[in-house]
């Protein structure tokens, strides 16, 4: 493979720095396996080497799938990554940001690009930030309604985010949060389909 030495040196650098214990790489193009290699250990403490069939525990894999859905629509010219989210979700217009002085107006709208890069300022629930605390209240109410058997769809969920000020000005910093959930709602509006239906039709075929 043309780039094998570059890939090998990159993974070796991460392993030498202690950032990863090992890795497993598989590249498939046009249905054909082009490159496969394992590196290091799957279990560092017990010195178990990485194998091709080593099972990984992965989190948040819905996020790259959501990003793929957005980019499908981008490639078709149905949305632009620099569009304001409020173009599709009016509740995202005139957002506020929590500061030491309280809530202040956002300097600009959140864009699709901000959500793709987790620079929107939309937090996950947490106790150490005022916005995170308020998000926790919104999220707890959503869970309560779901447990009670009430259906809350994507659009109603993102509407609730209006109650929560941003943690920082859009594009100012990076922070993990509900940005991908917002993108799911954008996909629904642009495609005219429920998010799950769009994924089934366009990706999981």
């Amino acid at each position: 493979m043309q780039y094998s030495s570059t890939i090998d040196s990159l993974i070796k650098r991460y392993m030498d720095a202690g950032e990863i214990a090992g890795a497993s790489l598989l590249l498939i193009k046009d249905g054909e396996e082009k490159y496969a290699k394992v590196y290091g250990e799957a279990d560092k403490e017990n010195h178990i080497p990485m194998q091709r069939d080593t099972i990984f525990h992965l989190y948040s894999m819905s996020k790259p799938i959501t990003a793929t859905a957005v980019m499908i629509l981008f490639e078709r010219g149905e949305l632009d990554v620099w569009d304001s989210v409020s173009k599709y979700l009016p509740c995202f217009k005139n957002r506020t940001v929590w500061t030491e002085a309280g809530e202040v107006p956002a300097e600009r709208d959140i864009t699709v690009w901000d959500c793709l890069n987790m620079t929107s300022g939309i937090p996950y629930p947490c106790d150490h930030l005022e916005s995170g605390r308020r998000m926790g209240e919104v999220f707890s109410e959503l869970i309560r309604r779901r447990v009670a058997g009430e259906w809350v769809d994507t659009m109603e969920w993102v509407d609730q985010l209006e109650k929560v000020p941003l943690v920082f000005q859009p594009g100012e910093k990076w922070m993990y949060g509900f940005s991908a959930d917002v993108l799911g709602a954008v996909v629904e509006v642009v495609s005219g389909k429920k998010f799950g239906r769009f994924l089934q039709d366009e990706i999981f075929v």
Side-chain angles (χ1 to χ4, degrees):
M1 179 182 172
Q2 183 180 356
Y3 302 111
S4 59
S5 61
T6 302
I7 294 170
D8 290 347
S9 61
L10 178 65
I11 292 179
K12 183 178 185 301
R13 190 169 77 215
Y14 282 121
M15 290 174 61
D16 290 345
E19 295 186 33
I20 60 173
S24 179
L25 178 68
L26 173 64
L27 176 61
I28 295 176
K29 183 179 181 182
D30 299 325
E32 181 182 347
E33 182 177 310
K34 297 292 186 180
Y35 187 72
K37 190 169 183 179
V38 294
Y39 308 80
E41 297 174 323
D43 186 330
K44 191 173 182 179
E45 289 73 21
N46 296 305
H47 301 291
I48 299 174
M50 186 71 70
Q51 302 289 341
R52 183 181 169 113
D53 61 352
T54 295
I55 296 174
F56 289 80
H57 193 170
L58 301 177
Y59 293 88
S60 291
M61 293 312 296
S62 61
K63 291 178 175 61
I65 294 170
T66 302
T68 300
V70 171
M71 296 312 292
I72 287 172
L73 296 172
F74 171 71
E75 286 183 338
R76 292 175 181 168
E78 296 183 40
L79 63 73
D80 193 310
V81 294
W82 301 112
D83 285 341
S84 294
V85 170
S86 62
K87 177 179 179 179
Y88 309 102
L89 306 172
C91 64
F92 274 77
K93 200 161 188 65
N94 301 321
R95 296 302 304 270
T96 61
V97 179
W98 184 262
T99 70
E100 293 181 357
E103 289 186 52
V104 301
E107 295 172 357
R108 65 166 175 81
D109 282 352
I110 297 169
T111 63
V112 173
W113 183 259
D114 290 322
C115 290
L116 285 167
N117 288 279
M118 293 285 173
T119 57
S120 66
I122 301 168
Y124 274 142
C126 65
D127 294 328
H128 65 284
L129 297 169
E130 175 61 22
S131 296
R133 185 188 64 76
R134 295 194 196 182
M135 185 64 80
E137 294 174 353
V138 169
F139 195 65
S140 293
E141 175 62 13
L142 171 68
I143 296 300
R144 184 196 66 76
R145 291 172 61 185
R146 292 297 297 269
V147 169
E150 185 178 348
W151 176 253
V152 181
D153 65 14
T154 306
M155 304 310 296
E156 185 176 354
W157 159 232
V158 296
D159 279 344
Q160 296 300 310
L161 299 183
E162 184 181 12
K163 301 176 181 178
V164 181
L166 307 176
V167 178
F168 48 76
Q169 293 289 344
E172 184 178 64
K173 300 177 184 178
W174 182 93
M175 184 179 186
Y176 217 38
F178 284 121
S179 292
D181 301 66
V182 172
L183 290 177
V186 170
V187 170
E188 287 197 357
V189 172
V190 175
S191 69
K193 298 180 180 180
K194 289 293 186 182
F195 184 57
R197 182 73 263 165
F198 183 87
L199 297 183
Q200 190 64 47
D201 290 346
E202 302 288 346
I203 299 176
F204 304 133
V205 292

